[in-house]
Amino acid sequence: MSTIPAEVRNAMIGGEPVAAAATFAVVNPSTGEPLAEVARCGATEIDQAVAAARHTFETAWRKTTAVERARILRRIGALIERDSEELARLETLDTGKPLSQGRADVRVAARYFEYYADTVEALFGDTVPGPSDVLIYTLNEPFGVTGHIIPWNYPIQISSRTAAPALAAGNCCVLKPAEEAPLTSLRLAELALEAGLPPGALNVVPGLGEEAGAALAAHRGIDHLAFTGSVEVGRIVSRAAAENVIPVTLELGGKSPNLVLADADLEAAAPVIVNSIIQNAGQTCSAGSRLLVAEPIHERLVELVSERMKTISIGPGLDDPQLGPLISAAQRDRVRGFVESVGSGVHLVCGGSPPADEKLRGGYFFQPTLFDGVAPESKLGQEEVFGPVLAVTPFSDLEQAVRLANATDYGLIAAIWTTDVGRAHWLAREVRAGQVYINTYGAGGGVELPFGGFKRSGHGREKGFEALRAYTQTKTIAVKLAGG
Ligand code: NAD
């Protein structure tokens, strides 16, 4: 059955569907077949969206109370829940991810709206001690119009992750989804309108990075920018934000380690380690893409991990396998390039190529891949593959383990596996990463956990109460008191 739709998915600007002069095709990565035609917005539509957001901010949204905003956000969460199966299927078609993952992503998206609806009512200002005849207090005011540039790997989750706190704080948003997977972000804009969000408070403007993305990043009418994506584009967006002297949150990539000490429970660790690299086909910023393992248990752990990797089911997202396809042919070529770059001395334990299954020929599949003996300074030891490829490096003592854990430009997540609680906490302090997990692994954790990078993994924090504050600016008010 063909999945080609009849109509073009237009932008959502000022509460109305808006066509662009051109369209671009979105492909189903599980089959390689066209999935949708989407408006290819550019500078003109970005201008319109920023103007619509500004208008709604000035005339409506900035005048609402936290209680009113919270009610609407809660309704958005409820509508996401109502349509969760439709949204999950759309996300799975658009990204190729297993349906269970699509469902989990949609649940998390709803949670962002619920969480920020609740927490915005607890966002208090301060009273500041000062002279006895002066009252000093602070207000947490919204920036105004916030720009949001979203990657393709978790579209509805990341759109909700940045839009929900921005809206809760009183900002109006212009959101550009990734060209590979824009469909659920567009649907989110429709649900927000249905929930009673004023038209123009959430504008979704699909398009190419170098067109719509660049126009949004450089727009003079944007007061704050949230970027999630690669380091390379993060730099470009940062430069544009610097020109306009606006704050920018950068959520970038990672090369996150699972660090396994000799006393760890290997049977418990192995499945979690495998899941941390096959989740979303390894296309997760916080993927556990390095396995640093103590020498005495090295051989055993590699055996456990590879045994498990060989049992992973692979297939189209809607069949709900454990591993779906990569997002595109280009991404598969990139992953293959990494595999081919591996020098002699590195042992390919399993995988290393697309699966042989003829039925999967049309999609962009790649087998779970395990390399042992990877040199920490090599390309595979340093760079983000963004595919289901795990690099193993053994270590001889704790000092070397810490050195290896910190030996990349990234610092997003780390996991430590040991039964020695004192060592676990000592290591958690030594590792330079925005989140550290002990005897577990969370790809960023729940909506309540502040999330973001050290070093080139970015700066600023998403999620948690911290993100709500990040979408406000502090205003200090001082009042001279007069009395009898
Ligand atoms: P990308 O940087 O190529 O694209 C991200 C977004 O930027 C897309 O919407 C794209 O259209 C846009 N863009 C591209 N060029 C642009 C330009 N010149 N100006 C403005 N915008 C532009 O990243 P991607 O390939 O979509 O996603 C993969 C990367 O994202 C990985 O590095 C991954 O680690 C990272 N990521 C990070 C997080 C996090 O929270 N830390 C989450 C998901 C993905």
Side-chain angles (χ1 to χ4, degrees):
M1 192 180 72
S2 170
T3 48
I4 303 173
E7 62 194 73
V8 171
R9 306 293 207 282
N10 286 322
M12 176 70 82
I13 300 177
E16 300 290 337
V18 171
T23 61
F24 63 96
V26 174
V27 167
N28 177 350
S30 293
T31 61
E33 286 173 5
L35 179 63
E37 279 295 318
V38 178
R40 180 171 160 178
C41 297
T44 308
E45 292 77 20
I46 292 290
D47 265 348
Q48 287 171 14
V50 173
R54 177 67 57 195
H55 177 75
T56 303
F57 175 70
E58 294 297 350
T59 58
W61 200 235
R62 69 182 283 264
K63 299 180 182 173
T64 54
T65 63
V67 176
E68 289 168 315
R69 294 197 298 276
R71 279 200 187 116
I72 295 173
L73 261 61
R74 250 178 234 117
R75 282 202 293 269
I76 299 176
L79 292 181
I80 293 174
E81 287 285 356
R82 183 197 68 188
D83 291 353
S84 58
E85 191 57 22
E86 173 214 325
L87 286 164
R89 285 178 173 271
L90 192 58
E91 194 76 317
T92 286
L93 282 171
D94 211 3
T95 61
K97 65 180 65 197
L99 189 53
S100 300
Q101 182 68 47
R103 289 182 178 134
D105 289 2
V106 170
R107 264 198 310 278
V108 173
R111 273 287 292 140
Y112 280 117
F113 286 95
E114 290 163 6
Y115 177 79
Y116 288 109
D118 291 343
T119 50
V120 73
E121 293 197 49
L123 181 65
F124 302 119
D126 294 318
T127 52
V128 182
S132 60
D133 60 346
V134 182
L135 167 65
I136 309 166
Y137 64 97
T138 63
L139 297 177
N140 300 301
E141 295 206 344
F143 283 96
V145 178
T146 52
H148 306 252
I149 300 179
I150 309 295
W152 44 258
N153 55 350
Y154 292 88
I156 195 164
Q157 251 208 61
I158 296 177
S159 293
S160 303
R161 178 175 98 186
T162 70
L167 289 166
N171 301 283
C172 289
C173 310
V174 178
L175 186 148
K176 195 210 81 70
E179 46 270 54
E180 294 85 352
L183 301 182
T184 52
S185 304
L186 287 165
R187 190 72 191 104
L188 178 65
E190 292 171 353
L191 292 176
L193 273 182
E194 188 185 338
L197 192 72
L202 174 59
N203 305 278
V204 176
V205 193
L208 309 188
E210 55 278 17
E211 295 175 1
L216 179 58
H219 203 287
R220 289 295 301 268
I222 295 289
D223 302 309
H224 178 286
L225 206 50
F227 174 79
T228 311
S230 60
V231 175
E232 192 189 354
V233 179
R235 279 199 188 97
I236 297 173
V237 163
S238 281
R239 269 184 225 119
E243 278 301 317
N244 288 331
V245 197
I246 60 166
V248 57
T249 306
L250 294 181
E251 292 288 357
L252 308 176
K255 191 77 187 173
S256 301
N258 271 290
L259 212 161
V260 189
L261 306 198
D263 64 358
D265 178 346
L266 301 190
E267 307 289 331
V272 181
I273 290 167
V274 171
N275 192 51
S276 77
I277 189 62
I278 66 148
Q279 177 177 328
N280 219 42
Q283 303 167 119
T284 302
C285 52
S286 47
S289 53
R290 289 189 296 149
L291 177 54
L292 306 177
V293 51
E295 273 163 4
I297 55 159
H298 169 208
E299 214 171 295
R300 176 71 187 134
L301 186 57
V302 167
E303 194 178 278
L304 285 173
V305 167
S306 66
E307 271 169 12
R308 193 161 185 98
M309 276 188 163
K310 287 177 196 156
T311 68
I312 296 298
S313 59
I314 308 178
L318 283 183
D319 289 357
D320 205 19
Q322 289 165 294
L323 182 72
L326 298 163
I327 189 73
S328 61
Q331 187 66 18
R332 189 175 56 186
D333 289 347
R334 185 184 139 84
V335 172
R336 213 192 315 243
F338 268 95
V339 168
E340 284 165 6
S341 79
V342 169
S344 57
V346 181
H347 174 215
L348 174 65
V349 185
C350 64
S353 59
D357 188 347
E358 272 305 315
K359 289 199 292 297
L360 302 180
R361 280 279 170 246
Y364 312 125
F365 297 92
F366 207 88
Q367 296 184 81
T369 298
L370 183 62
F371 282 109
D372 193 12
V374 174
E377 64 284 359
S378 66
K379 186 175 154 81
L380 184 59
Q382 288 290 318
E383 293 180 24
E384 188 179 41
V385 178
F386 235 48
V389 180
L390 179 58
V392 182
T393 306
F395 62 81
S396 54
D397 55 43
L398 277 191
E399 234 172 78
Q400 194 193 9
V402 171
R403 219 176 26 250
L404 288 174
N406 292 334
T408 74
D409 280 345
Y410 293 109
L412 197 53
I413 277 193
I416 293 158
W417 296 89
T418 174
T419 46
D420 182 329
V421 73
R423 248 182 212 162
H425 286 282
W426 179 80
L427 278 167
R429 290 188 184 193
E430 293 299 310
V431 170
R432 301 200 62 211
Q435 286 187 343
V436 178
Y437 291 87
I438 296 170
N439 293 330
T440 184
Y441 199 98
V447 305
E448 309 83 357
L449 280 67
F451 175 69
F454 278 37
K455 302 192 280 181
R456 299 238 163 90
S457 289
H459 52 74
R461 293 292 175 265
E462 300 282 4
K463 306 190 175 192
F465 201 67
E466 212 168 325
L468 186 59
R469 282 202 187 283
Y471 283 100
T472 69
Q473 47 195 344
T474 304
K475 180 183 278 179
T476 306
I477 298 173
V479 194
K480 178 86 170 84
L481 301 178

mmCIF file of all heavy atoms in Angstrom, residues 233-263:
data_model
loop_
_atom_site.group_PDB
_atom_site.id
_atom_site.type_symbol
_atom_site.label_atom_id
_atom_site.label_comp_id
_atom_site.label_asym_id
_atom_site.label_seq_id
_atom_site.Cartn_x
_atom_site.Cartn_y
_atom_site.Cartn_z
ATOM 1 N N VAL A 233 26.609 22.862 13.190
ATOM 2 C CA VAL A 233 25.542 23.847 12.978
ATOM 3 C C VAL A 233 25.366 24.701 14.243
ATOM 4 O O VAL A 233 25.049 25.892 14.153
ATOM 5 C CB VAL A 233 24.219 23.166 12.555
ATOM 6 C CG1 VAL A 233 23.118 24.193 12.358
ATOM 7 C CG2 VAL A 233 24.414 22.373 11.278
ATOM 8 N N GLY A 234 25.626 24.116 15.418
ATOM 9 C CA GLY A 234 25.573 24.887 16.660
ATOM 10 C C GLY A 234 26.478 26.103 16.598
ATOM 11 O O GLY A 234 26.132 27.197 17.063
ATOM 12 N N ARG A 235 27.664 25.919 16.006
ATOM 13 C CA ARG A 235 28.600 27.047 15.863
ATOM 14 C C ARG A 235 28.005 28.139 14.983
ATOM 15 O O ARG A 235 28.085 29.331 15.294
ATOM 16 C CB ARG A 235 29.897 26.571 15.195
ATOM 17 C CG ARG A 235 30.826 25.912 16.131
ATOM 18 C CD ARG A 235 32.248 25.900 15.551
ATOM 19 N NE ARG A 235 33.055 25.077 16.418
ATOM 20 C CZ ARG A 235 33.338 23.785 16.188
ATOM 21 N NH1 ARG A 235 32.903 23.193 15.103
ATOM 22 N NH2 ARG A 235 34.065 23.108 17.046
ATOM 23 N N ILE A 236 27.380 27.719 13.859
ATOM 24 C CA ILE A 236 26.802 28.690 12.910
ATOM 25 C C ILE A 236 25.697 29.482 13.604
ATOM 26 O O ILE A 236 25.625 30.713 13.521
ATOM 27 C CB ILE A 236 26.228 27.949 11.672
ATOM 28 C CG1 ILE A 236 27.337 27.220 10.926
ATOM 29 C CG2 ILE A 236 25.477 28.898 10.758
ATOM 30 C CD1 ILE A 236 26.839 26.329 9.781
ATOM 31 N N VAL A 237 24.844 28.762 14.310
ATOM 32 C CA VAL A 237 23.699 29.379 14.978
ATOM 33 C C VAL A 237 24.180 30.323 16.104
ATOM 34 O O VAL A 237 23.639 31.415 16.302
ATOM 35 C CB VAL A 237 22.786 28.241 15.523
ATOM 36 C CG1 VAL A 237 21.818 28.732 16.556
ATOM 37 C CG2 VAL A 237 22.041 27.580 14.365
ATOM 38 N N SER A 238 25.221 29.898 16.809
ATOM 39 C CA SER A 238 25.782 30.740 17.878
ATOM 40 C C SER A 238 26.306 32.053 17.333
ATOM 41 O O SER A 238 26.146 33.098 17.955
ATOM 42 C CB SER A 238 26.974 30.045 18.538
ATOM 43 O OG SER A 238 26.539 29.109 19.425
ATOM 44 N N ARG A 239 26.966 31.968 16.178
ATOM 45 C CA ARG A 239 27.497 33.196 15.572
ATOM 46 C C ARG A 239 26.353 34.152 15.240
ATOM 47 O O ARG A 239 26.441 35.346 15.489
ATOM 48 C CB ARG A 239 28.264 32.873 14.287
ATOM 49 C CG ARG A 239 29.722 32.634 14.552
ATOM 50 C CD ARG A 239 30.480 32.426 13.251
ATOM 51 N NE ARG A 239 31.357 31.293 13.430
ATOM 52 C CZ ARG A 239 31.326 30.168 12.729
ATOM 53 N NH1 ARG A 239 30.467 30.021 11.753
ATOM 54 N NH2 ARG A 239 32.155 29.199 12.985
ATOM 55 N N ALA A 240 25.264 33.600 14.688
ATOM 56 C CA ALA A 240 24.109 34.430 14.333
ATOM 57 C C ALA A 240 23.515 35.052 15.594
ATOM 58 O O ALA A 240 23.167 36.243 15.617
ATOM 59 C CB ALA A 240 23.068 33.588 13.604
ATOM 60 N N ALA A 241 23.421 34.266 16.668
ATOM 61 C CA ALA A 241 22.865 34.783 17.923
ATOM 62 C C ALA A 241 23.774 35.872 18.486
ATOM 63 O O ALA A 241 23.293 36.889 19.021
ATOM 64 C CB ALA A 241 22.701 33.646 18.933
ATOM 65 N N ALA A 242 25.083 35.676 18.347
ATOM 66 C CA ALA A 242 26.029 36.683 18.861
ATOM 67 C C ALA A 242 25.844 38.013 18.128
ATOM 68 O O ALA A 242 25.914 39.085 18.735
ATOM 69 C CB ALA A 242 27.459 36.179 18.710
ATOM 70 N N GLU A 243 25.591 37.953 16.832
ATOM 71 C CA GLU A 243 25.362 39.187 16.052
ATOM 72 C C GLU A 243 24.193 39.979 16.621
ATOM 73 O O GLU A 243 24.207 41.196 16.668
ATOM 74 C CB GLU A 243 25.062 38.843 14.585
ATOM 75 C CG GLU A 243 26.263 38.574 13.730
ATOM 76 C CD GLU A 243 27.233 39.741 13.671
ATOM 77 O OE1 GLU A 243 26.784 40.899 13.538
ATOM 78 O OE2 GLU A 243 28.445 39.491 13.815
ATOM 79 N N ASN A 244 23.157 39.252 17.046
ATOM 80 C CA ASN A 244 21.959 39.915 17.574
ATOM 81 C C ASN A 244 21.999 40.056 19.098
ATOM 82 O O ASN A 244 21.041 40.548 19.699
ATOM 83 C CB ASN A 244 20.699 39.131 17.172
ATOM 84 C CG ASN A 244 20.407 39.276 15.692
ATOM 85 O OD1 ASN A 244 20.742 40.288 15.089
ATOM 86 N ND2 ASN A 244 19.811 38.254 15.097
ATOM 87 N N VAL A 245 23.105 39.628 19.703
ATOM 88 C CA VAL A 245 23.306 39.692 21.161
ATOM 89 C C VAL A 245 22.092 39.092 21.889
ATOM 90 O O VAL A 245 21.463 39.737 22.727
ATOM 91 C CB VAL A 245 23.597 41.138 21.633
ATOM 92 C CG1 VAL A 245 24.211 41.114 23.034
ATOM 93 C CG2 VAL A 245 24.523 41.853 20.677
ATOM 94 N N ILE A 246 21.764 37.862 21.550
ATOM 95 C CA ILE A 246 20.672 37.168 22.248
ATOM 96 C C ILE A 246 21.207 35.862 22.850
ATOM 97 O O ILE A 246 22.170 35.297 22.347
ATOM 98 C CB ILE A 246 19.467 36.870 21.312
ATOM 99 C CG1 ILE A 246 19.887 35.992 20.131
ATOM 100 C CG2 ILE A 246 18.800 38.152 20.848
ATOM 101 C CD1 ILE A 246 18.713 35.396 19.377
ATOM 102 N N PRO A 247 20.583 35.402 23.942
ATOM 103 C CA PRO A 247 21.038 34.140 24.535
ATOM 104 C C PRO A 247 20.694 32.958 23.648
ATOM 105 O O PRO A 247 19.677 32.965 22.954
ATOM 106 C CB PRO A 247 20.254 34.056 25.850
ATOM 107 C CG PRO A 247 19.145 35.021 25.729
ATOM 108 C CD PRO A 247 19.474 36.022 24.674
ATOM 109 N N VAL A 248 21.562 31.959 23.701
ATOM 110 C CA VAL A 248 21.319 30.745 22.917
ATOM 111 C C VAL A 248 21.622 29.528 23.789
ATOM 112 O O VAL A 248 22.602 29.514 24.525
ATOM 113 C CB VAL A 248 22.138 30.761 21.602
ATOM 114 C CG1 VAL A 248 23.615 30.920 21.855
ATOM 115 C CG2 VAL A 248 21.904 29.511 20.774
ATOM 116 N N THR A 249 20.714 28.576 23.744
ATOM 117 C CA THR A 249 20.943 27.293 24.419
ATOM 118 C C THR A 249 21.409 26.312 23.359
ATOM 119 O O THR A 249 20.766 26.190 22.309
ATOM 120 C CB THR A 249 19.616 26.767 25.006
ATOM 121 O OG1 THR A 249 19.069 27.776 25.828
ATOM 122 C CG2 THR A 249 19.829 25.516 25.814
ATOM 123 N N LEU A 250 22.507 25.628 23.616
ATOM 124 C CA LEU A 250 23.026 24.662 22.642
ATOM 125 C C LEU A 250 22.993 23.268 23.241
ATOM 126 O O LEU A 250 23.677 22.995 24.230
ATOM 127 C CB LEU A 250 24.472 25.002 22.263
ATOM 128 C CG LEU A 250 24.725 26.294 21.502
ATOM 129 C CD1 LEU A 250 26.211 26.431 21.194
ATOM 130 C CD2 LEU A 250 23.933 26.353 20.199
ATOM 131 N N GLU A 251 22.180 22.404 22.659
ATOM 132 C CA GLU A 251 22.150 20.984 23.039
ATOM 133 C C GLU A 251 22.752 20.231 21.873
ATOM 134 O O GLU A 251 22.104 20.054 20.839
ATOM 135 C CB GLU A 251 20.703 20.530 23.281
ATOM 136 C CG GLU A 251 20.063 21.137 24.492
ATOM 137 C CD GLU A 251 20.606 20.600 25.810
ATOM 138 O OE1 GLU A 251 21.467 19.688 25.787
ATOM 139 O OE2 GLU A 251 20.192 21.103 26.850
ATOM 140 N N LEU A 252 24.012 19.785 22.028
ATOM 141 C CA LEU A 252 24.729 19.245 20.873
ATOM 142 C C LEU A 252 24.974 17.741 21.032
ATOM 143 O O LEU A 252 24.193 17.062 21.671
ATOM 144 C CB LEU A 252 26.012 20.046 20.668
ATOM 145 C CG LEU A 252 25.792 21.580 20.604
ATOM 146 C CD1 LEU A 252 27.095 22.324 20.487
ATOM 147 C CD2 LEU A 252 24.842 21.980 19.489
ATOM 148 N N GLY A 253 26.028 17.281 20.476
ATOM 149 C CA GLY A 253 26.229 15.834 20.413
ATOM 150 C C GLY A 253 26.922 15.249 21.621
ATOM 151 O O GLY A 253 27.108 15.909 22.640
ATOM 152 N N GLY A 254 27.311 13.975 21.490
ATOM 153 C CA GLY A 254 27.994 13.309 22.589
ATOM 154 C C GLY A 254 28.786 12.106 22.110
ATOM 155 O O GLY A 254 28.657 11.665 20.958
ATOM 156 N N LYS A 255 29.647 11.629 22.982
ATOM 157 C CA LYS A 255 30.377 10.370 22.751
ATOM 158 C C LYS A 255 30.434 9.713 24.127
ATOM 159 O O LYS A 255 31.486 9.586 24.752
ATOM 160 C CB LYS A 255 31.779 10.677 22.193
ATOM 161 C CG LYS A 255 32.514 9.464 21.686
ATOM 162 C CD LYS A 255 32.033 9.004 20.322
ATOM 163 C CE LYS A 255 32.670 7.688 19.931
ATOM 164 N NZ LYS A 255 32.104 7.120 18.695
ATOM 165 N N SER A 256 29.243 9.366 24.613
ATOM 166 C CA SER A 256 29.088 9.064 26.038
ATOM 167 C C SER A 256 29.579 7.661 26.384
ATOM 168 O O SER A 256 29.302 6.702 25.664
ATOM 169 C CB SER A 256 27.621 9.227 26.423
ATOM 170 O OG SER A 256 27.220 10.558 26.149
ATOM 171 N N PRO A 257 30.308 7.537 27.510
ATOM 172 C CA PRO A 257 30.848 6.225 27.900
ATOM 173 C C PRO A 257 29.988 5.484 28.906
ATOM 174 O O PRO A 257 29.385 6.087 29.798
ATOM 175 C CB PRO A 257 32.183 6.612 28.561
ATOM 176 C CG PRO A 257 31.935 7.961 29.160
ATOM 177 C CD PRO A 257 30.880 8.647 28.303
ATOM 178 N N ASN A 258 29.952 4.165 28.776
ATOM 179 C CA ASN A 258 29.599 3.261 29.863
ATOM 180 C C ASN A 258 30.932 2.814 30.438
ATOM 181 O O ASN A 258 31.745 2.222 29.708
ATOM 182 C CB ASN A 258 28.824 2.043 29.340
ATOM 183 C CG ASN A 258 27.324 2.284 29.293
ATOM 184 O OD1 ASN A 258 26.677 2.371 30.323
ATOM 185 N ND2 ASN A 258 26.785 2.412 28.088
ATOM 186 N N LEU A 259 31.134 3.112 31.716
ATOM 187 C CA LEU A 259 32.418 2.817 32.349
ATOM 188 C C LEU A 259 32.192 1.643 33.314
ATOM 189 O O LEU A 259 31.454 1.786 34.293
ATOM 190 C CB LEU A 259 32.787 4.084 33.117
ATOM 191 C CG LEU A 259 34.230 4.473 33.284
ATOM 192 C CD1 LEU A 259 34.287 5.938 33.632
ATOM 193 C CD2 LEU A 259 34.875 3.645 34.326
ATOM 194 N N VAL A 260 32.783 0.501 33.018
ATOM 195 C CA VAL A 260 32.435 -0.709 33.779
ATOM 196 C C VAL A 260 33.645 -1.175 34.591
ATOM 197 O O VAL A 260 34.686 -1.549 34.020
ATOM 198 C CB VAL A 260 31.956 -1.829 32.840
ATOM 199 C CG1 VAL A 260 31.401 -3.000 33.655
ATOM 200 C CG2 VAL A 260 30.878 -1.309 31.879
ATOM 201 N N LEU A 261 33.520 -1.147 35.936
ATOM 202 C CA LEU A 261 34.612 -1.572 36.804
ATOM 203 C C LEU A 261 34.569 -3.097 36.988
ATOM 204 O O LEU A 261 33.533 -3.741 36.738
ATOM 205 C CB LEU A 261 34.516 -0.880 38.165
ATOM 206 C CG LEU A 261 34.444 0.651 38.190
ATOM 207 C CD1 LEU A 261 34.812 1.167 39.583
ATOM 208 C CD2 LEU A 261 35.345 1.305 37.159
ATOM 209 N N ALA A 262 35.662 -3.623 37.514
ATOM 210 C CA ALA A 262 35.810 -5.094 37.599
ATOM 211 C C ALA A 262 34.773 -5.726 38.522
ATOM 212 O O ALA A 262 34.428 -6.897 38.352
ATOM 213 C CB ALA A 262 37.220 -5.445 38.055
ATOM 214 N N ASP A 263 34.253 -4.948 39.496
ATOM 215 C CA ASP A 263 33.302 -5.547 40.455
ATOM 216 C C ASP A 263 31.840 -5.375 40.010
ATOM 217 O O ASP A 263 30.918 -5.657 40.772
ATOM 218 C CB ASP A 263 33.489 -4.911 41.843
ATOM 219 C CG ASP A 263 33.150 -3.428 41.844
ATOM 220 O OD1 ASP A 263 32.813 -2.883 40.762
ATOM 221 O OD2 ASP A 263 33.207 -2.803 42.908
#
